[in-house]
């Protein structure tokens, strides 16, 4: 029995190290100089240096990395909030109310999950161009306010359906209208699912490179993924320690938020029917 436990723990430690190896290499290289990154595979730097963080934060001389950070928060914060609120209202409608063509509309909504992004890319770009929204953050925030992410609607519908309707009936007897039932009864119960939706949207929006590249043209409006890409100058020698250091800095906020809310995230995913 003892040998079996030792074998199990050894195997778990080995797999943990393998799974975390990309993160460990990223952290190690962030504290190396440019020459050592290209010549050594050791996880322990020969000489610790903060040169990559200092030079990387300066950016390209015109725009510093703090601008990219601030721009990312300007995009991500309202996008996440709008996605949560709009998806919650739409999910509440589908889960609790009866209206004509409800099943058909829900099927259409869910079917958009299967729609490849490439299919809607051109018409969406033309729409935003005609509205004059190109090179602004409205292309990210305004669609989020209209529940355009069917994945989150589906997740919240599944969670709300699992809540007994008796709670709604009891609240109606106490004088609550539909809005108060949602905000005062269902929202506190749906907290794990809401946090899960917010975390998914946070990570996707934070790391969104493609849409930022398509819709944002001005350097002073670049988000973190575009700022990191701009650091890779193909015409001169790339300062890999600066790029790696800024990559490490850029993943800190979503990683910290994920670990703080991990308990609610796991609970929300496991109780909304999305587990494997």
């Amino acid at each position: 029995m003892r040998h079996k436990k030792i074998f199990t723990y050894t195997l778990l430690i080995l797999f943990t190290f393998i799974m975390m190896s990309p993160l460990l290499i990223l952290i190690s290289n962030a504290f190396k100089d440019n020459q050592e990154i290209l010549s050594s595979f050791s996880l322990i730097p020969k000489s610790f240096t903060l040169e990559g963080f200092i030079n990387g934060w300066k950016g390209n001389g015109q725009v510093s990395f703090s601008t990219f950070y601030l721009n990312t928060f300007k995009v991500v914060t309202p996008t996440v909030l709008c996605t949560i609120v709009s998806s919650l209202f739409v999910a509440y409608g589908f889960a609790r109310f009866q209206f004509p063509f409800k099943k058909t509309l829900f099927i259409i909504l869910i079917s958009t999950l299967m729609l490849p992004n490439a299919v809607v890319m051109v018409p969406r770009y033309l729409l935003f161009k005609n509205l004059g929204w190109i090179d602004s953050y409205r292309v990210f925030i305004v669609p989020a306010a209209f529940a355009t992410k069917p994945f989150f609607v589906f997740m919240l519908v599944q969670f709300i359906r699992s809540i007994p309707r008796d709670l709604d009936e009891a609240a109606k007897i106490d004088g609550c209208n539909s809005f108060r039932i949602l905000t005062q009864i269902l929202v506190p119960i749906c907290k794990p699912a809401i946090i899960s939706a917010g975390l998914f949207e946070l990570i996707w929006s934070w790391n969104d490179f493609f849409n930022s590249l398509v819709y944002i043209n001005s350097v002073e409006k670049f988000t973190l993924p575009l700022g990191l890409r701009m650091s890779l100058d193909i015409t001169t020698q790339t300062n890999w320690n600066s790029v790696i250091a800024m990559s490490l800095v850029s993943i800190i906020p979503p990683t910290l938020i994920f670990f703080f809310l991990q308990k609610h995230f796991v609970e929300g995913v496991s109780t909304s029917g999305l587990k494997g």
Side-chain angles (χ1 to χ4, degrees):
M1 181 63 79
R2 185 179 177 184
H3 289 87
K4 187 178 178 181
K5 279 187 176 180
I6 293 174
F7 176 76
T8 303
Y9 284 127
T10 305
L11 201 62
L12 287 174
I13 292 171
L14 180 63
F15 273 106
T16 302
F17 182 79
I18 293 174
M19 295 297 292
M20 292 190 64
S21 58
L23 182 61
L24 295 175
I25 293 172
L26 180 72
I27 295 172
S28 170
N29 287 340
F31 293 96
K32 294 179 180 177
D33 58 37
N34 211 34
Q35 187 177 1
E36 188 180 351
I37 290 174
L38 300 175
S39 60
S40 173
F41 293 101
S42 174
L43 283 178
I44 302 175
K46 294 177 182 175
S47 59
F48 282 88
T49 176
L50 297 177
E51 180 187 336
F53 294 93
I54 297 171
N55 294 334
W57 195 263
K58 293 177 183 176
N60 62 353
Q62 298 176 344
V63 181
S64 68
F65 217 76
S66 57
T67 302
F68 302 142
Y69 239 99
L70 183 61
N71 291 341
T72 304
F73 278 107
K74 286 180 181 176
V75 175
V76 172
T77 304
T79 301
V80 171
L81 292 177
C82 289
T83 298
I84 290 174
V85 173
S86 61
S87 300
L88 187 62
F89 274 100
V90 174
Y92 179 51
F94 277 115
R96 284 295 197 254
F97 293 92
Q98 295 297 329
F99 50 87
F101 309 111
K102 175 184 171 181
K103 289 185 178 179
T104 305
L105 291 173
F106 191 68
I107 290 172
I108 294 173
L109 175 75
I110 298 304
S111 64
T112 57
L113 277 170
M114 315 301 172
L115 207 61
N117 186 48
V119 175
V120 298
M121 185 174 62
V122 173
R124 189 167 54 187
Y125 181 85
L126 293 175
L127 173 64
F128 292 150
K129 184 181 179 182
N130 291 331
L131 291 171
W133 290 359
I134 299 298
D135 201 25
S136 76
Y137 300 143
R138 281 176 289 183
V139 296
F140 306 103
I141 300 169
V142 175
F146 292 94
T148 53
K149 306 287 179 64
F151 173 76
F152 300 126
V153 176
F154 174 72
M155 188 171 72
L156 291 170
V157 165
Q158 294 293 96
F159 198 94
I160 293 175
R161 281 176 177 171
S162 68
I163 301 172
R165 286 179 177 268
D166 294 345
L167 288 175
D168 298 33
E169 299 301 327
K172 285 180 182 176
I173 294 172
D174 289 339
C176 289
N177 55 26
S178 299
F179 182 76
R180 288 185 63 188
I181 290 174
L182 173 64
T183 56
Q184 297 182 4
I185 306 295
L186 296 181
V187 166
I189 300 174
C190 292
K191 189 170 71 172
I194 293 172
I195 290 175
S196 300
L199 278 176
F200 273 124
E201 180 63 21
L202 168 69
I203 294 171
W204 292 346
S205 299
W206 191 275
N207 297 321
D208 186 6
F209 172 77
F210 180 77
N211 288 310
S212 300
L213 181 67
V214 171
Y215 297 118
I216 303 299
N217 302 323
S218 304
V219 177
E220 61 271 15
K221 294 181 180 178
F222 276 10
T223 54
L224 283 172
L226 293 181
L228 287 172
R229 177 63 186 85
M230 199 173 66
S231 302
L232 297 172
D233 190 350
I234 59 174
T235 59
T236 59
Q237 184 180 6
T238 301
N239 292 321
W240 288 108
N241 58 344
S242 300
V243 176
I244 294 172
M246 289 304 99
S247 299
L248 179 62
V249 170
S250 68
I251 66 173
I252 290 176
T255 305
L256 289 177
I257 293 173
F258 176 80
F259 278 112
F260 278 122
L261 301 175
Q262 185 181 17
K263 176 186 173 184
H264 300 289
F265 176 76
V266 174
E267 186 180 351
V269 171
S270 62
T271 54
S272 57
L274 297 177
K275 57 186 177 181

Short mmCIF file of all heavy atoms in Angstrom, two decimals, residues 136-173:
data_model
loop_
_atom_site.label_atom_id
_atom_site.label_comp_id
_atom_site.label_asym_id
_atom_site.label_seq_id
_atom_site.Cartn_x
_atom_site.Cartn_y
_atom_site.Cartn_z
N SER A 136 -12.45 51.91 -32.77
CA SER A 136 -13.01 52.29 -31.47
C SER A 136 -13.38 51.02 -30.71
O SER A 136 -13.49 49.94 -31.31
CB SER A 136 -14.25 53.18 -31.64
OG SER A 136 -15.36 52.41 -32.02
N TYR A 137 -13.57 51.17 -29.40
CA TYR A 137 -13.88 50.01 -28.58
C TYR A 137 -15.37 49.64 -28.62
O TYR A 137 -15.78 48.66 -28.00
CB TYR A 137 -13.46 50.27 -27.13
CG TYR A 137 -11.99 50.55 -26.98
CD1 TYR A 137 -11.52 51.48 -26.07
CD2 TYR A 137 -11.05 49.87 -27.75
CE1 TYR A 137 -10.16 51.73 -25.93
CE2 TYR A 137 -9.70 50.11 -27.63
CZ TYR A 137 -9.26 51.05 -26.73
OH TYR A 137 -7.91 51.30 -26.61
N ARG A 138 -16.17 50.43 -29.35
CA ARG A 138 -17.61 50.13 -29.44
C ARG A 138 -17.86 48.80 -30.14
O ARG A 138 -18.87 48.14 -29.90
CB ARG A 138 -18.33 51.26 -30.17
CG ARG A 138 -18.61 52.46 -29.30
CD ARG A 138 -19.23 53.59 -30.08
NE ARG A 138 -18.27 54.21 -30.99
CZ ARG A 138 -18.54 55.24 -31.76
NH1 ARG A 138 -19.74 55.78 -31.74
NH2 ARG A 138 -17.62 55.75 -32.54
N VAL A 139 -16.95 48.39 -31.02
CA VAL A 139 -17.14 47.12 -31.73
C VAL A 139 -17.09 45.93 -30.78
O VAL A 139 -17.59 44.85 -31.10
CB VAL A 139 -16.08 46.95 -32.83
CG1 VAL A 139 -16.23 48.02 -33.89
CG2 VAL A 139 -14.67 46.99 -32.25
N PHE A 140 -16.51 46.12 -29.59
CA PHE A 140 -16.46 45.04 -28.61
C PHE A 140 -17.57 45.18 -27.56
O PHE A 140 -18.15 44.20 -27.13
CB PHE A 140 -15.11 45.05 -27.88
CG PHE A 140 -13.92 45.01 -28.80
CD1 PHE A 140 -13.18 46.14 -29.07
CD2 PHE A 140 -13.56 43.82 -29.43
CE1 PHE A 140 -12.09 46.11 -29.92
CE2 PHE A 140 -12.47 43.77 -30.29
CZ PHE A 140 -11.74 44.92 -30.54
N ILE A 141 -17.84 46.42 -27.15
CA ILE A 141 -18.74 46.65 -26.02
C ILE A 141 -20.22 46.59 -26.42
O ILE A 141 -21.02 45.93 -25.75
CB ILE A 141 -18.42 48.02 -25.38
CG1 ILE A 141 -16.97 48.03 -24.88
CG2 ILE A 141 -19.37 48.32 -24.24
CD1 ILE A 141 -16.47 49.40 -24.47
N VAL A 142 -20.59 47.25 -27.51
CA VAL A 142 -22.00 47.33 -27.90
C VAL A 142 -22.59 45.94 -28.21
O VAL A 142 -23.68 45.60 -27.70
CB VAL A 142 -22.19 48.30 -29.09
CG1 VAL A 142 -23.64 48.28 -29.56
CG2 VAL A 142 -21.77 49.71 -28.68
N PRO A 143 -21.93 45.09 -29.02
CA PRO A 143 -22.51 43.75 -29.23
C PRO A 143 -22.65 42.96 -27.94
O PRO A 143 -23.61 42.19 -27.79
CB PRO A 143 -21.50 43.10 -30.19
CG PRO A 143 -20.83 44.22 -30.88
CD PRO A 143 -20.74 45.31 -29.87
N ALA A 144 -21.72 43.15 -27.00
CA ALA A 144 -21.82 42.43 -25.73
C ALA A 144 -23.06 42.83 -24.94
O ALA A 144 -23.58 42.03 -24.15
CB ALA A 144 -20.57 42.69 -24.89
N ALA A 145 -23.57 44.04 -25.17
CA ALA A 145 -24.76 44.51 -24.45
C ALA A 145 -26.04 43.90 -25.00
O ALA A 145 -27.12 44.13 -24.44
CB ALA A 145 -24.84 46.03 -24.52
N PHE A 146 -25.95 43.14 -26.10
CA PHE A 146 -27.14 42.54 -26.70
C PHE A 146 -27.05 41.01 -26.72
O PHE A 146 -27.63 40.37 -27.60
CB PHE A 146 -27.33 43.08 -28.12
CG PHE A 146 -27.71 44.54 -28.14
CD1 PHE A 146 -26.74 45.52 -28.27
CD2 PHE A 146 -29.04 44.93 -28.01
CE1 PHE A 146 -27.07 46.87 -28.28
CE2 PHE A 146 -29.39 46.27 -28.02
CZ PHE A 146 -28.40 47.25 -28.15
N ALA A 147 -26.35 40.45 -25.77
CA ALA A 147 -26.28 38.99 -25.59
C ALA A 147 -25.89 38.27 -26.87
O ALA A 147 -26.54 37.32 -27.30
CB ALA A 147 -27.61 38.46 -25.05
N THR A 148 -24.82 38.70 -27.48
CA THR A 148 -24.38 38.09 -28.74
C THR A 148 -23.47 36.87 -28.52
O THR A 148 -22.93 36.34 -29.48
CB THR A 148 -23.62 39.12 -29.59
OG1 THR A 148 -22.57 39.70 -28.81
CG2 THR A 148 -24.55 40.21 -30.09
N LYS A 149 -23.31 36.48 -27.26
CA LYS A 149 -22.51 35.28 -26.95
C LYS A 149 -23.47 34.17 -26.52
O LYS A 149 -23.80 34.05 -25.34
CB LYS A 149 -21.50 35.58 -25.85
CG LYS A 149 -20.57 36.77 -26.10
CD LYS A 149 -19.55 36.46 -27.16
CE LYS A 149 -18.63 37.64 -27.46
NZ LYS A 149 -17.81 38.06 -26.35
N PRO A 150 -23.95 33.35 -27.45
CA PRO A 150 -24.96 32.32 -27.11
C PRO A 150 -24.46 31.29 -26.11
O PRO A 150 -25.27 30.68 -25.40
CB PRO A 150 -25.27 31.67 -28.46
CG PRO A 150 -24.10 31.99 -29.33
CD PRO A 150 -23.58 33.32 -28.86
N PHE A 151 -23.16 31.10 -26.03
CA PHE A 151 -22.62 30.13 -25.07
C PHE A 151 -23.01 30.50 -23.64
O PHE A 151 -23.43 29.64 -22.85
CB PHE A 151 -21.10 30.09 -25.21
CG PHE A 151 -20.41 29.25 -24.17
CD1 PHE A 151 -20.43 27.87 -24.24
CD2 PHE A 151 -19.75 29.85 -23.11
CE1 PHE A 151 -19.80 27.10 -23.27
CE2 PHE A 151 -19.12 29.09 -22.14
CZ PHE A 151 -19.14 27.70 -22.21
N PHE A 152 -22.91 31.79 -23.32
CA PHE A 152 -23.23 32.21 -21.96
C PHE A 152 -24.74 32.16 -21.71
O PHE A 152 -25.18 31.84 -20.60
CB PHE A 152 -22.71 33.63 -21.72
CG PHE A 152 -21.22 33.74 -21.89
CD1 PHE A 152 -20.67 34.67 -22.76
CD2 PHE A 152 -20.37 32.89 -21.22
CE1 PHE A 152 -19.30 34.76 -22.92
CE2 PHE A 152 -19.01 32.96 -21.37
CZ PHE A 152 -18.47 33.90 -22.23
N VAL A 153 -25.54 32.49 -22.72
CA VAL A 153 -26.99 32.38 -22.57
C VAL A 153 -27.38 30.93 -22.28
O VAL A 153 -28.16 30.65 -21.36
CB VAL A 153 -27.70 32.89 -23.84
CG1 VAL A 153 -29.21 32.69 -23.72
CG2 VAL A 153 -27.38 34.36 -24.08
N PHE A 154 -26.80 30.01 -23.05
CA PHE A 154 -27.10 28.59 -22.85
C PHE A 154 -26.69 28.14 -21.45
O PHE A 154 -27.44 27.43 -20.76
CB PHE A 154 -26.36 27.77 -23.91
CG PHE A 154 -26.48 26.29 -23.73
CD1 PHE A 154 -27.68 25.63 -23.98
CD2 PHE A 154 -25.39 25.54 -23.28
CE1 PHE A 154 -27.79 24.27 -23.80
CE2 PHE A 154 -25.50 24.18 -23.10
CZ PHE A 154 -26.69 23.54 -23.36
N MET A 155 -25.51 28.55 -21.00
CA MET A 155 -25.02 28.16 -19.69
C MET A 155 -25.94 28.66 -18.58
O MET A 155 -26.29 27.93 -17.65
CB MET A 155 -23.61 28.68 -19.49
CG MET A 155 -22.93 28.17 -18.24
SD MET A 155 -21.18 28.59 -18.16
CE MET A 155 -21.29 30.34 -17.83
N LEU A 156 -26.38 29.92 -18.69
CA LEU A 156 -27.24 30.49 -17.66
C LEU A 156 -28.65 29.90 -17.72
O LEU A 156 -29.30 29.73 -16.68
CB LEU A 156 -27.28 32.01 -17.82
CG LEU A 156 -25.96 32.72 -17.48
CD1 LEU A 156 -26.02 34.18 -17.89
CD2 LEU A 156 -25.66 32.60 -15.99
N VAL A 157 -29.14 29.61 -18.93
CA VAL A 157 -30.45 28.96 -19.05
C VAL A 157 -30.43 27.61 -18.33
O VAL A 157 -31.36 27.27 -17.59
CB VAL A 157 -30.82 28.78 -20.53
CG1 VAL A 157 -31.99 27.79 -20.67
CG2 VAL A 157 -31.21 30.10 -21.16
N GLN A 158 -29.37 26.84 -18.55
CA GLN A 158 -29.26 25.54 -17.90
C GLN A 158 -29.27 25.68 -16.38
O GLN A 158 -29.88 24.88 -15.67
CB GLN A 158 -27.96 24.85 -18.34
CG GLN A 158 -27.93 24.47 -19.80
CD GLN A 158 -28.94 23.39 -20.12
OE1 GLN A 158 -30.06 23.68 -20.57
NE2 GLN A 158 -28.58 22.16 -19.87
N PHE A 159 -28.59 26.69 -15.88
CA PHE A 159 -28.52 26.88 -14.43
C PHE A 159 -29.86 27.33 -13.87
O PHE A 159 -30.32 26.82 -12.84
CB PHE A 159 -27.44 27.92 -14.10
CG PHE A 159 -26.98 27.88 -12.67
CD1 PHE A 159 -25.87 27.15 -12.31
CD2 PHE A 159 -27.69 28.56 -11.69
CE1 PHE A 159 -25.46 27.10 -10.98
CE2 PHE A 159 -27.28 28.52 -10.37
CZ PHE A 159 -26.16 27.78 -10.01
N ILE A 160 -30.51 28.29 -14.54
CA ILE A 160 -31.80 28.80 -14.02
C ILE A 160 -32.86 27.71 -14.05
O ILE A 160 -33.70 27.61 -13.16
CB ILE A 160 -32.24 30.04 -14.84
CG1 ILE A 160 -31.26 31.19 -14.60
CG2 ILE A 160 -33.65 30.47 -14.46
CD1 ILE A 160 -31.52 32.42 -15.46
N ARG A 161 -32.83 26.85 -15.09
CA ARG A 161 -33.80 25.76 -15.17
C ARG A 161 -33.65 24.78 -14.00
O ARG A 161 -34.61 24.09 -13.64
CB ARG A 161 -33.63 25.02 -16.49
CG ARG A 161 -34.27 25.72 -17.68
CD ARG A 161 -33.96 24.97 -18.96
NE ARG A 161 -34.63 25.60 -20.10
CZ ARG A 161 -34.39 25.25 -21.36
NH1 ARG A 161 -33.52 24.29 -21.64
NH2 ARG A 161 -35.03 25.86 -22.34
N SER A 162 -32.45 24.69 -13.44
CA SER A 162 -32.23 23.76 -12.32
C SER A 162 -32.76 24.32 -11.00
O SER A 162 -32.81 23.59 -10.00
CB SER A 162 -30.73 23.46 -12.19
OG SER A 162 -30.02 24.62 -11.77
N ILE A 163 -33.15 25.60 -10.98
CA ILE A 163 -33.68 26.22 -9.76
C ILE A 163 -35.19 25.97 -9.71
O ILE A 163 -35.89 26.26 -10.68
CB ILE A 163 -33.39 27.73 -9.75
CG1 ILE A 163 -31.87 27.97 -9.82
CG2 ILE A 163 -33.98 28.39 -8.51
CD1 ILE A 163 -31.51 29.43 -10.00
N PRO A 164 -35.72 25.44 -8.62
CA PRO A 164 -37.17 25.15 -8.54
C PRO A 164 -38.01 26.40 -8.76
O PRO A 164 -37.70 27.48 -8.24
CB PRO A 164 -37.33 24.62 -7.11
CG PRO A 164 -35.98 24.15 -6.71
CD PRO A 164 -35.00 25.04 -7.40
N ARG A 165 -39.09 26.22 -9.53
CA ARG A 165 -40.00 27.34 -9.78
C ARG A 165 -40.79 27.74 -8.53
O ARG A 165 -41.41 28.80 -8.49
CB ARG A 165 -40.98 26.96 -10.90
CG ARG A 165 -40.36 26.96 -12.29
CD ARG A 165 -41.39 26.56 -13.33
NE ARG A 165 -40.84 26.61 -14.68
CZ ARG A 165 -40.90 27.67 -15.45
NH1 ARG A 165 -41.51 28.76 -15.02
NH2 ARG A 165 -40.37 27.65 -16.66
N ASP A 166 -40.78 26.86 -7.54
CA ASP A 166 -41.49 27.18 -6.30
C ASP A 166 -40.97 28.47 -5.67
O ASP A 166 -41.72 29.21 -5.03
CB ASP A 166 -41.34 26.03 -5.29
CG ASP A 166 -42.03 24.76 -5.78
OD1 ASP A 166 -42.85 24.86 -6.72
OD2 ASP A 166 -41.74 23.68 -5.23
N LEU A 167 -39.67 28.72 -5.86
CA LEU A 167 -39.10 29.96 -5.33
C LEU A 167 -39.73 31.18 -6.00
O LEU A 167 -40.04 32.19 -5.35
CB LEU A 167 -37.59 29.97 -5.56
CG LEU A 167 -36.75 29.02 -4.68
CD1 LEU A 167 -35.29 29.06 -5.13
CD2 LEU A 167 -36.87 29.42 -3.23
N ASP A 168 -39.95 31.08 -7.32
CA ASP A 168 -40.60 32.18 -8.04
C ASP A 168 -42.02 32.39 -7.54
O ASP A 168 -42.46 33.53 -7.31
CB ASP A 168 -40.63 31.87 -9.55
CG ASP A 168 -39.23 31.75 -10.13
OD1 ASP A 168 -38.34 31.28 -9.41
OD2 ASP A 168 -39.04 32.11 -11.30
N GLU A 169 -42.75 31.26 -7.35
CA GLU A 169 -44.14 31.37 -6.91
C GLU A 169 -44.21 31.97 -5.50
O GLU A 169 -45.09 32.81 -5.22
CB GLU A 169 -44.78 29.97 -6.91
CG GLU A 169 -44.83 29.31 -8.28
CD GLU A 169 -45.59 30.12 -9.30
OE1 GLU A 169 -46.56 30.81 -8.91
OE2 GLU A 169 -45.21 30.10 -10.50
N ALA A 170 -43.30 31.54 -4.64
CA ALA A 170 -43.29 32.09 -3.28
C ALA A 170 -42.98 33.59 -3.29
O ALA A 170 -43.58 34.37 -2.54
CB ALA A 170 -42.25 31.35 -2.44
N ALA A 171 -42.07 33.99 -4.18
CA ALA A 171 -41.72 35.41 -4.28
C ALA A 171 -42.90 36.23 -4.82
O ALA A 171 -43.15 37.35 -4.37
CB ALA A 171 -40.51 35.58 -5.18
N LYS A 172 -43.66 35.64 -5.77
CA LYS A 172 -44.84 36.34 -6.32
C LYS A 172 -45.88 36.55 -5.23
O LYS A 172 -46.54 37.60 -5.16
CB LYS A 172 -45.42 35.53 -7.47
CG LYS A 172 -44.62 35.62 -8.76
CD LYS A 172 -45.28 34.79 -9.87
CE LYS A 172 -44.45 34.85 -11.13
NZ LYS A 172 -45.01 33.97 -12.20
N ILE A 173 -46.07 35.52 -4.39
CA ILE A 173 -47.04 35.65 -3.29
C ILE A 173 -46.64 36.78 -2.34
O ILE A 173 -47.48 37.50 -1.80
CB ILE A 173 -47.15 34.30 -2.53
CG1 ILE A 173 -47.77 33.25 -3.45
CG2 ILE A 173 -47.97 34.46 -1.26
CD1 ILE A 173 -47.76 31.85 -2.87
#
